[in-house]
Amino acid sequence: MVDQMRALEARALAKSEERRPVFDKRGQLSPRERLSALLDPGMPFLELYNMASYLVDDPNPETSIPGASIILGIGFVSGVRALVFVDDSGINAGAMTGKSVDKALGAIKIAEEQKLPFIHLVESAGADLMRYEVGLWAHGGGMFAGLARLSAAGIPVITVLHGASTAGGAYQPGLSDYVIGVKGNGMAMLAGAALVFAATGEEALDADLGGAEMHAEVTGLVEYLAEDDAHGIQIARDVVAGLGWGSPLPPEPCFDAPVLSPDEIAGVVPVDYRKPYDMREVAARLVDGSRLRDFKPDYGPATVCLQAEIFGRPVGIIGNNGPLDPDGATKATHFFQLLDQAGTPIVFLNNTTGFMVGTAYERAGMIKHGAKMIQAVTNMRVPKISLYTGASFGAGNYGMCGYAFGADFLLTWPNAMTGVMGGEQAAVTMEHVARRGAARKGMDVDEDRLAKQRARITAHFDGQSDAFYTSGHMLDQGMIDPRDTRRVLGFCLRTCAEARARQPRPNSFGVARP
């Protein structure tokens, strides 16, 4: 499954590289070369939403390309942790589809919550008019509102115009605090020459309408004019270096590596979520010295609550060794409240089929105890990092800080399954309904028809629960190799800690040009 993930990432790269002759002819860097030039060498880069749009615009798994024509992640620029957004203009000229907009909105939300400078390397054909839907335009406005909020919140927005930024996309540089335009190629215009002619009959050149040189000399939209892509990126790095935006935290404390290797996770966790394993075996390969302090281990034992350190930073960890029962839910609620009281971040390791059902559990108060757990996880103020490591079904997903519950970071392993329930359970449920209905009417059951229904429902539910499908539909923030989990957690925990320690200087409105 990790190989499948890497192959899909490579598919997006290969598709983008097909356009390299165009970049070479224009004297441009490719999108990934721009990213590499922007980032500090040797420093970590956490790619986000890497599977976005997979199986969405193209439902064929053999040809569908992930990424939504955007390369996105958190990395270091001139020593500053920043949100980096690169239009992948090698794919469909960087034109945006529905998931491109969702990915951009997700990027802005992360930058706002984690107080990260927002750096956009722009070259996009704008909206994909061949796949236009009115919702794309309506939701796309959220990108511009988000940029305005970032600037007003005192979070710098920096844009490099490598190529075209047209129509609504022209407001991307317009809403930025700093704009670097590349001579010859960088352009921002509300309408290109073709649209201007169609709308007004005027014949004009793109360079006169919105060339970087014109904006540097006439409109003032461009602050810095660059000779080429590499020069533009160097100016962007210089701008970031001049922000005075270094880490508000001291260097990382000393820590011990895990005694048990994180590389063993691929062997510890079965691919089939129906095969049980002890979540402590995963946690021991993520934390410093493999040291775990087990909270109430004998009460609600299927819910595992642990205290440990990751890269010297105290954390709470909750994992599942089975479904959540009333005792497990009350134990988790108590654990969440203690962590929130102490200001300790929490890591959720999701592997649950949900809350327990049945007469005994209903009478034991499963609803009220599950509700308390959901109340607690929703309203915690500490950083929350959620990982789909196996199953995450039904309301168990809610109690374990799933998609809707405000995780600072929500990532998935490629083996994860998420949804209202497993396909087999859904099929058996509907089969039972059909049998009861037939019995009430005094009719015989059509076993052949029921068998076909069972297969159809199982495939329908399981197909939508698969991590590649859910990540493609952006029900998480990206897919990672399980063996990278410790490093990713450390990166995310530090990002959250810096955000909470930083004090930006907000404005009553975004930075505006004269």
Side-chain angles (χ1 to χ4, degrees):
M1 288 177 165
V2 172
D3 289 344
Q4 180 184 354
M5 177 183 75
R6 296 303 183 205
L8 288 171
E9 292 173 333
R11 184 184 294 177
L13 172 60
K15 182 65 177 177
S16 183
E17 281 295 304
E18 290 177 6
R19 195 173 168 84
R20 177 170 284 279
V22 175
F23 295 125
D24 290 343
K25 183 179 179 180
R26 295 175 179 168
Q28 293 180 299
L29 300 175
S30 72
R32 283 170 176 77
E33 287 173 334
R34 293 169 191 168
L35 174 65
S36 180
L38 179 69
L39 296 173
D40 294 351
M43 293 295 286
F45 177 72
L46 176 62
E47 187 170 358
L48 299 169
Y49 298 114
N50 53 335
M51 291 292 118
S53 201
Y54 178 62
L55 301 179
V56 178
D57 296 322
D58 178 2
N60 185 347
E62 299 303 318
T63 57
S64 187
I65 298 173
S69 301
I70 296 168
I71 310 164
L72 174 69
I74 301 173
F76 291 87
V77 178
S78 297
V80 175
R81 192 185 302 261
L83 194 295
V84 180
F85 183 121
V86 183
D87 294 326
D88 195 344
S89 49
I91 300 176
N92 200 24
M96 301 188 78
T97 62
K99 288 304 174 190
S100 306
V101 170
D102 290 344
K103 187 168 179 174
L105 294 176
I108 292 169
K109 182 180 178 183
I110 292 169
E112 185 174 11
E113 291 180 348
Q114 305 303 331
K115 301 175 186 173
L116 299 168
F118 189 91
I119 305 172
H120 192 171
L121 307 186
V122 174
E123 184 172 37
S124 172
D128 186 344
L129 298 183
M130 298 301 292
R131 295 177 179 173
Y132 168 77
E133 294 178 358
V134 67
L136 175 67
W137 160 78
H139 292 296
M143 296 165 52
F144 310 132
L147 294 174
R149 284 195 301 270
L150 288 179
S151 182
I155 298 171
V157 180
I158 301 160
T159 289
V160 182
L161 274 174
H162 291 281
S165 184
T166 58
Y171 287 104
Q172 159 65 39
L175 288 160
S176 299
D177 301 325
Y178 302 90
V179 177
I180 300 114
V182 177
K183 287 182 180 179
N185 292 317
M187 285 183 281
M189 62 195 87
L190 295 177
L195 180 54
V196 167
F197 180 78
T200 69
E202 178 189 354
E203 294 196 14
L205 298 175
D206 283 343
D208 293 333
L209 289 167
E213 295 93 326
M214 186 278 289
H215 283 304
E217 298 168 6
V218 178
T219 72
L221 181 68
V222 168
E223 278 74 62
Y224 309 101
L225 196 59
E227 296 296 325
D228 54 27
D229 281 354
H231 184 215
I233 289 169
Q234 183 56 56
I235 293 173
R237 287 180 53 82
D238 292 343
V239 169
V240 174
L243 292 175
W245 199 269
S247 174
L249 298 177
E252 293 280 17
C254 296
F255 58 87
D256 300 325
V259 174
L260 302 174
S261 172
D263 287 343
E264 295 175 352
I265 288 176
V268 167
V269 179
V271 169
D272 186 347
Y273 70 86
R274 289 166 293 195
K275 295 182 179 178
Y277 65 93
D278 190 345
M279 191 59 78
R280 295 174 183 84
E281 293 290 345
V282 175
R285 288 161 174 81
L286 303 178
V287 305
D288 297 355
S290 298
R291 295 184 296 270
L292 300 169
R293 189 161 75 253
D294 217 328
F295 179 81
K296 291 187 178 179
D298 301 320
Y299 179 79
T303 301
V304 179
C305 297
L306 307 167
Q307 290 164 289
E309 292 185 346
I310 296 179
F311 290 99
R313 194 174 301 281
V315 295
I317 299 173
I318 181 170
N320 314 113
N321 282 358
L324 288 152
D325 60 16
D327 287 350
T330 54
K331 168 181 168 179
T333 301
H334 184 193
F335 189 56
F336 294 163
Q337 291 173 332
L338 291 176
L339 294 174
D340 199 55
Q341 181 188 64
T344 303
I346 183 166
V347 175
F348 297 82
L349 302 178
N350 278 247
N351 186 33
T352 181
T353 52
F355 288 112
M356 290 295 292
V357 296
T359 304
Y361 296 104
E362 297 284 9
R363 293 175 67 86
M366 188 69 263
I367 294 173
K368 70 177 183 181
H369 296 307
K372 287 190 295 190
M373 182 178 178
I374 291 171
Q375 284 270 10
V377 73
T378 302
N379 294 301
M380 292 181 74
R381 297 159 296 181
V382 296
K384 298 182 288 191
I385 301 173
S386 198
L387 285 166
Y388 293 154
T389 64
S392 189
F393 288 131
N397 173 271
Y398 303 164
M400 289 294 292
C401 199
Y403 175 77
F405 289 84
D408 290 84
F409 291 96
L410 171 59
L411 302 164
T412 188
W413 290 356
N415 59 299
M417 299 284 282
T418 60
V420 68
M421 64 182 72
E424 184 179 343
Q425 289 76 22
V428 170
T429 299
M430 296 311 298
E431 181 177 334
H432 187 62
V433 169
R435 289 186 184 279
R436 290 179 63 181
R440 282 197 307 269
K441 297 173 184 178
M443 299 171 58
D444 293 332
V445 174
D446 185 337
E447 295 294 343
D448 182 59
R449 182 179 178 184
L450 273 186
K452 291 179 180 177
Q453 174 183 285
R454 187 185 310 124
R456 185 176 65 254
I457 292 175
T458 300
H460 179 67
F461 272 74
D462 286 348
Q464 293 187 67
S465 299
D466 174 81
F468 289 93
Y469 182 95
T470 55
S471 200
H473 285 72
M474 293 183 59
L475 300 181
D476 54 63
Q477 294 172 333
M479 183 181 289
I480 65 169
D481 184 331
R483 294 166 294 189
D484 292 333
T485 301
R486 173 175 162 82
R487 291 191 292 271
V488 169
L489 287 176
F491 186 94
C492 292
L493 288 166
R494 177 80 179 188
T495 301
C496 293
E498 287 187 3
R500 282 156 171 76
R502 190 177 298 284
Q503 297 294 326
R505 298 175 61 84
N507 304 308
S508 59
F509 47 81
V511 171
R513 289 177 180 76

